[in-house]
Amino acid sequence: MTLLSAARDGFAAAFGYPPAALWSAPGRVNLIGEHTDYNEGFVLPFAIGQRTVAALAPRADGLVRVSSAGAAPAGEFPLGGLAPGGAAGWAAYPLGVAWALGQVARRTGQAGAEPAGRPGFDVHFASDVPVGAGLSSSAALECALAVALNEVWRLGFDRARLVEAAHLAENDFVGAPTGILDQSAALLSREGAALFLDCRDGSWSHADLGLGTDRFGPGGLAVLVVDTRVKHEHVSGGYAARRAACERAAAALGVRALRDVTAGQLLAARDRLTEEDYRRARHVVTEDQRVLEVVAALRAGDHAAVGGLMSASHRSMRDDFEISTPELDLAVEVAVGGGALGARMTGGGFGGSAIALAPAALIPGLERTVAAAFRERGFGAPGTFTVRPSAGARRDE
Ligand code: GLA
C-alpha cells in the first residue's frame, strides 16, 4: 500500500468518512551546518524521499480531532481553546501548528485571525519518516499540516510564513527550543538540490547536488543514512544546554549571535570564555565557515572537498560541541574507512543518524561493514538506507 492510500484509508477508519484532500511534507538530512541555525548562521539540508502525509477534512463545529497510524487516538480539542501547555504527547505538534497559524495571522493583521474564527478539522497522519532518528519526523508532520491548513483556511501565507508558524509551534507550544533548520528544509526544499539557508535574514537558494547526472545515482555518488537507533530527545537536556552555552559566549563577546564572530576574533577573546564555552563557540564559528566552503565546493563539482568538510564537521561536533555518541562515531569511522568521501552525524545529536557521502557502488559493502562493526562492538543493529534530495511540502491529491 502506498503512503497516500494508507493516509486516506487511515482517515476513513479513524473518522468514518473520506478526507477532503492529502498534503505531505518530507523529513530531511542536514548535509552540513549543525547547531548554526539558532546562532543566526548557515545551514545546508536537503529533503529526503520519506514523507509524512496529512489526510484532512474541515469540520463546521470548531473541533479538532487528530489521529496517527501507530499512535493512540488523541481525543477532541476545541480550536478556540488551544494554548501552549494545553496538550501533551505527539498531539502537541499538530495542535501547536493550528495555534501558531492563528498567532502568525494575528501578527500580520489578518482579519478573523483567531483560530476560533476558522473551521475545525479532522486529520490523520501516515508517515515513513523514522521517528527519533534525527531526520525531522516532527517537522514533517508540522509542515504537512501547515500547508494543509494554509489552503483549507485560505490564509495565503507564503512558505517563509509557514516556516515561522511551524517553528513557533515547536518552540512555544511543544516547548522544544530548536531553530528553523528542519521546518525550512521541509517547506523550501527542491528535488535534486540542497537548501542553502541564511538563518539570520531567512534568504535561501538551492545548491544543485547533481541528481540526474552521473554524480548521484548508479555509477555516481549516493548519501547513505546510518540510523543508530539510539533515541534522541530535544525537549530535554543537552540541546538546550548547548544553545545556552552559545548564547553565553555571544554575550561575553559582545555580539548579537555567534554568526558575528570570526575564528580569529574568537581566539583573541579566548580569556573571556570558560574553556568549555570556548570549544562550543569554536564549533559554531568553524561550522558556519564549512557550510560556505561546501556550497562553493558543490558549485565547483568538487565532491572530494565536500566529503572532507563533512568529516571535519563531525570531528568538531565530537570534540568541541560534544554531541556525538559512540555509535555515531563508529558509523562515521567505518564509512570513511570503507571508502566514503566523508561522513558526519546529522541533526541535533545525542543519538539519531549519521550520513556518508560515498560512491554508489560502495554502498552495499558499507551497509554490511557498518552492521558488522556495530555487532562487534555490542551495539544494537543500525538501520541503513540511501536518501535522494526530494521536493518540499505539497498538496498530493
Ligand atoms: C535539531 C533542531 C534544529 C537544529 C539541529 C542542529 O534538528 O530542530 O533546529 O538546531 O538540531 O543543527
Side-chain angles (χ1 to χ4, degrees):
M1 195 185 348
T2 68
L3 203 53
L4 292 180
S5 47
R8 208 182 305 108
D9 295 354
F11 183 100
F15 303 120
Y17 68 100
L22 308 182
W23 292 261
S24 69
R28 62 100 188 91
V29 295
N30 192 16
L31 201 55
I32 196 155
E34 223 66 83
H35 288 261
T36 46
D37 59 354
Y38 56 77
N39 289 299
E40 302 187 8
F42 304 105
V43 293
L44 191 68
F46 66 81
I48 58 177
Q50 287 81 350
R51 302 179 77 85
T52 295
V53 180
L56 184 141
R59 301 169 54 99
D61 61 3
L63 281 182
V64 177
R65 294 189 296 176
V66 295
S67 151
S68 172
E76 291 187 1
F77 305 84
L79 195 52
L82 296 180
W90 77 271
Y93 290 90
L95 296 172
V97 169
W99 170 82
L101 285 167
Q103 298 295 306
V104 172
R106 187 178 309 155
R107 274 187 208 164
T108 54
Q110 279 213 8
E114 302 305 316
R118 312 270 182 204
F121 57 92
D122 288 335
V123 65
H124 176 80
F125 297 98
S127 181
D128 61 2
V129 184
V131 173
L135 303 177
S136 290
S137 58
S138 52
L141 183 151
E142 290 157 10
C143 296
L145 182 59
V147 290
L149 291 178
N150 191 37
E151 200 176 317
V152 168
W153 285 349
R154 296 194 166 79
L155 294 169
F157 288 161
D158 64 14
R159 292 286 162 128
R161 283 250 186 278
L162 296 180
V163 169
E164 188 186 332
H167 178 242
L168 186 68
E170 183 146 338
N171 275 212
D172 287 21
F173 201 95
V174 177
T178 54
I180 60 169
L181 165 67
D182 308 336
Q183 294 81 11
S184 301
L187 284 159
L188 305 175
S189 286
R190 203 178 68 192
E191 189 163 358
L195 175 75
F196 175 39
L197 174 71
D198 180 336
C199 299
R200 167 159 282 170
D201 66 10
S203 63
W204 78 87
S205 58
H206 292 110
D208 192 5
L209 287 168
L211 183 79
T213 72
D214 64 350
R215 272 181 266 148
F216 274 76
L221 294 175
V223 174
L224 176 71
V225 171
V226 179
D227 174 7
T228 64
R229 298 209 168 112
V230 177
K231 294 290 173 203
H232 74 124
E233 181 56 83
H234 285 157
V235 182
S236 63
Y239 185 95
R242 294 305 180 279
R243 185 166 182 156
C246 293
E247 284 163 5
R248 263 197 315 273
L253 294 165
V255 293
R256 174 174 148 165
L258 288 178
R259 156 72 174 274
D260 298 308
V261 182
T262 64
Q265 288 166 335
L266 181 63
L267 186 60
R270 192 172 190 155
D271 297 349
R272 280 188 258 159
L273 302 176
T274 63
E275 192 273 334
E276 189 176 282
D277 283 0
Y278 174 75
R279 283 188 291 113
R280 302 294 189 250
R282 184 167 62 187
H283 163 70
V284 173
V285 169
T286 58
E287 184 81 348
D288 266 334
Q289 191 54 38
R290 282 186 290 268
V291 176
L292 300 178
E293 288 170 19
V294 165
V295 171
L298 280 174
R299 294 197 166 136
D302 185 354
H303 288 86
V306 172
L309 288 156
M310 288 170 68
S311 297
S313 168
H314 185 78
R315 289 192 294 276
S316 177
M317 291 187 286
R318 184 191 63 196
D319 302 338
D320 275 356
F321 219 58
E322 295 182 276
I323 54 172
S324 189
T325 64
E327 292 85 353
L328 289 164
D329 293 342
L330 182 65
V332 166
E333 189 189 306
V334 171
V336 173
L341 300 179
R344 60 189 289 281
M345 53 144 278
T346 190
F350 308 103
S353 297
I355 54 170
L357 178 67
L362 295 184
I363 297 291
L366 284 179
E367 294 186 280
R368 281 194 299 274
T369 31
V370 167
F374 270 58
R375 242 187 341 265
E376 216 167 278
R377 284 278 289 274
F379 296 156
T384 55
F385 50 93
T386 55
V387 286
R388 291 172 80 84
S390 303
R394 64 180 179 224
R395 178 170 175 160
D396 289 297
E397 58 182 55

